[in-house]
Amino acid sequence: MDLLTQPMPWYIAGPIIGLTVPILLILGGKMFGVSANLRHACAACNFGNVEFFNYDWKEAGWWNITFLVGSVLGGFLGGYVFANPEPIDLAASTVTDLQALGINDFNGLVPTDLISWEALETPTGLIVLVLGGFLVGFGARYAGGCTSGHAISGLSDLQLASLMAVIGFFIGGLLMTYLIYPIIL
Amino acid sequence: MKILEYLKYLLIGTAFGFILVKSEVVSWFRIQEMFRFDSIHMYGIIGLAVVVGIISVQIIKKNNIKDTKGNPITIPPKDASQWKRYIIGGSMFGLGWALLGACPGPMFALLGSGITVMIIPILSAIVGTYVYGMLRDSLPH
């Protein structure tokens, strides 16, 4: 039981996540990428008849949507049924930096100051949840993939395009962390 | 049997979501730690995942390994000449990733872990994807 609730070290999780690529390729000829499902969702309710979403989403996406339902179930098992009761063992310098920005609650997977139904009623929480989600969706499709499609699958296939996308991910991430977050928090 | 096909992807997805949570990849805190270069944690996970991915893909290509249905495995190449979309789109994604502390896979795993408010960024991400689809022809690629 302890084995299921304790966190998994990075050197075990990394290789297993990497194995998702050959497993999906060999078991179904599928290329691993989560954000394609956001496009399938748009295709499923394409009321505005936007051309980018005019395709047979059931045919193209049934396997990936099923994979995504599995991910929700896996999240339920890992984060609810077998949840780790301890706070995350973060680097001390990160904790100090975040405390300076006003983050006080380090329990759980996410800070309730920013990510909770209560936080949604605050301007900062609204920006984090609504604008954050919007940018992830818009940016992933604009870049043609997200962390799984580019950083894992694309780099696994040594695609230059994916390396450029990952560089983009870090340009945006560093701008947010060092310039924008200190303003909005 | 179609039902077995569904079950296959459901199980792979379940393992994926479970590991995302257990390795704390889904954590806003871990993403902050990564962008502050304070720990090897996230770099170790992504780095080892890519190493395993590269070796696997090379083995598949060198040996012309077929998938379980007997079809040749092909990976469609991405057009690297469209550098603008990768840098601009990627930067927008990175802004969102650091702000929300979650990328698409973790958003759904977190929803499953009981953080129900994640339905808001998920819906926002679908809206974001839709707006991209509407503006696509007028954006630099």
Side-chain angles (χ1 to χ4, degrees):
Chain A
M1 203 64 179
D2 270 5
L3 195 71
L4 284 170
T5 58
Q6 62 186 240
M8 185 181 280
W10 59 266
Y11 47 85
I12 296 177
I16 301 178
I17 292 172
L19 282 176
T20 313
V21 174
I23 286 173
L24 287 175
L25 281 174
I26 291 171
L27 289 185
K30 310 295 187 200
M31 201 63 183
F32 173 46
V34 176
S35 70
N37 290 307
L38 300 170
R39 187 181 177 192
H40 299 326
C42 291
C45 41
N46 187 13
F47 306 118
N49 202 25
V50 173
E51 200 206 327
F52 187 58
F53 302 116
N54 276 334
Y55 63 94
D56 188 349
W57 62 274
K58 283 182 195 162
E59 176 62 27
W62 67 269
W63 73 272
N64 208 341
I65 295 165
T66 312
F67 176 92
L68 196 65
V69 172
S71 304
V72 176
L73 194 63
F76 174 69
L77 290 173
Y80 192 84
V81 179
F82 300 111
N84 176 15
E86 302 294 321
I88 292 176
D89 185 21
L90 286 172
S93 46
T94 302
V95 175
T96 312
D97 285 359
L98 294 177
Q99 278 170 339
L101 288 174
I103 303 290
N104 297 309
D105 185 0
F106 289 81
N107 290 304
L109 292 165
V110 299
T112 48
D113 309 302
L114 302 175
I115 300 171
S116 61
W117 288 107
E118 294 72 37
L120 188 60
E121 292 169 23
T122 68
T124 309
L126 198 66
I127 291 171
V128 168
L129 293 162
V130 177
L131 185 63
F134 183 91
L135 285 168
V136 164
F138 190 104
R141 209 71 271 123
Y142 194 173
C146 61
T147 328
S148 51
H150 276 308
I152 310 286
S153 289
L155 290 186
S156 290
D157 191 36
L158 303 173
Q159 302 244 6
L160 179 62
S162 293
L163 182 62
M164 292 192 270
V166 173
I167 291 169
F169 296 171
F170 270 83
I171 294 172
L174 294 174
L175 278 175
M176 179 57 65
T177 302
Y178 289 102
L179 291 177
I180 305 175
Y181 245 136
I183 298 171
I184 60 174
L185 277 177
Chain B
M1 274 292 274
K2 190 83 173 174
I3 191 104
L4 281 178
E5 286 279 292
Y6 279 101
L7 194 61
K8 177 170 81 183
Y9 292 109
L10 187 74
L11 285 176
I12 302 170
T14 304
F16 179 67
F18 184 81
I19 288 162
L20 286 186
V21 171
K22 281 295 154 205
S23 61
E24 297 162 347
V25 169
V26 299
S27 169
W28 182 94
F29 298 112
R30 286 291 191 196
I31 303 304
Q32 276 295 307
E33 192 186 47
M34 172 181 79
F35 283 127
R36 292 170 190 279
F37 303 97
D38 283 344
S39 167
I40 193 176
H41 190 88
M42 287 296 301
Y43 296 100
I45 289 176
I46 297 173
L48 285 177
V50 171
V51 168
V52 168
I54 289 173
I55 295 171
S56 313
V57 169
Q58 287 303 313
I59 292 173
I60 288 171
K61 283 186 170 173
K62 288 254 156 58
N63 298 291
N64 289 315
I65 292 176
K66 305 234 179 348
D67 68 23
T68 45
K69 290 205 183 72
N71 300 314
I73 293 174
T74 51
I75 302 174
K78 296 182 169 77
D79 181 5
S81 69
Q82 296 185 349
W83 61 272
K84 292 192 204 86
R85 74 176 294 185
Y86 299 116
I87 297 294
I88 304 170
S91 298
M92 291 181 70
F93 177 83
L95 285 167
W97 187 17
L99 183 59
L100 179 65
C103 46
M107 291 196 306
F108 287 89
L110 281 171
L111 179 69
S113 81
I115 301 173
T116 52
V117 75
M118 290 309 289
I119 195 69
I120 301 295
I122 287 171
L123 292 174
S124 280
I126 293 170
V127 172
T129 304
Y130 200 86
V131 172
Y132 166 74
M134 290 194 297
L135 302 179
R136 190 164 173 260
D137 291 337
S138 49
L139 293 169
H141 275 78

